[in-house]
Amino acid sequence: LGEEYVPSHVPPTDARFVLIGPDDRAYWFGRTGANASVVEVSEVGWPDRILDDDFCTINNNDGDVITAGCKVPGGLLFFKRNSTWLVRQYGSAPINISYYYGCTAPFSIQITPDGCIFLSQQGKVCVYNGSITEIAENVKPELRAMSEASMNRVCSAYHEDIYLLAYDYRGQK
């Protein structure tokens, strides 16, 4: 038996989010600057150990940051301000789901029996279940007029087939 040095590092301290994927890997994302489109991926079963070459990019160099993500049947869904991407498994190329719908309200995301419900950057309530569909016709006008900072503070809950959003309708807090 011999030894082998495997270069690795600890998770990034500036990552805003982490998801545990269906493959038992931790996916660290939500950074700013040059790493805004980077998702760092841990070893299987070791969420705090990232090999130096274990990462993927979500539409790198588009000037946009990864703003949210969630685990869905079939992989991991990553949101940017103006687009949505699906990563089926570690090592696979991200698949663009939409260049129209993004999400800047990461805490609006809820996994339901019907799919992943989220508030889009346009203030529209949508569901992803293989494709994205708008599901709320009578959305209050103040949702569409919210600033990005206000959208970042929207939160939600899902209980007994009801999706609830909590938000500051004045957009001042």
Side-chain angles (χ1 to χ4, degrees), residues 5-65:
Y5 173 71
V6 179
S8 64
H9 59 276
V10 297
T13 57
D14 61 342
R16 189 168 172 207
F17 305 107
V18 62
L19 289 173
I20 302 299
D23 55 1
D24 286 332
R25 295 177 187 268
Y27 292 76
W28 300 84
F29 62 98
R31 301 166 73 189
T32 58
N35 295 315
S37 295
V38 173
V39 178
E40 293 203 47
V41 185
S42 77
E43 286 192 76
V44 174
W46 297 88
D48 59 344
R49 183 168 55 190
I50 299 172
L51 298 181
D52 286 350
D53 59 353
D54 278 355
F55 67 92
C56 66
T57 58
I58 307 295
N59 204 27
N60 201 18
N61 299 322
D62 66 349
D64 209 351
V65 300

Side-chain angles (χ1 to χ4, degrees), residues 68-147:
C70 64
K71 186 166 37 171
V72 295
L76 296 172
L77 203 59
F78 291 99
F79 295 95
K80 292 186 132 186
R81 286 185 185 105
N82 299 303
S83 61
T84 304
W85 299 82
L86 177 68
V87 175
R88 292 205 182 275
Q89 64 185 16
Y90 173 70
S92 67
I95 300 166
N96 178 258
I97 302 300
S98 173
Y99 278 114
Y100 179 74
Y101 294 104
C103 179
T104 56
F107 304 110
S108 72
I109 299 170
Q110 294 293 324
I111 303 303
T112 73
D114 295 323
C116 168
I117 299 177
F118 64 97
L119 180 63
S120 77
Q121 82 282 16
Q122 298 106 342
K124 299 174 182 176
V125 179
C126 301
V127 64
Y128 169 80
N129 55 5
S131 63
I132 296 176
T133 307
E134 291 179 28
I135 60 171
E137 298 290 326
N138 298 322
V139 178
K140 298 204 178 273
E142 54 260 17
L143 285 176
R144 286 188 286 257
M146 289 177 75
S147 68

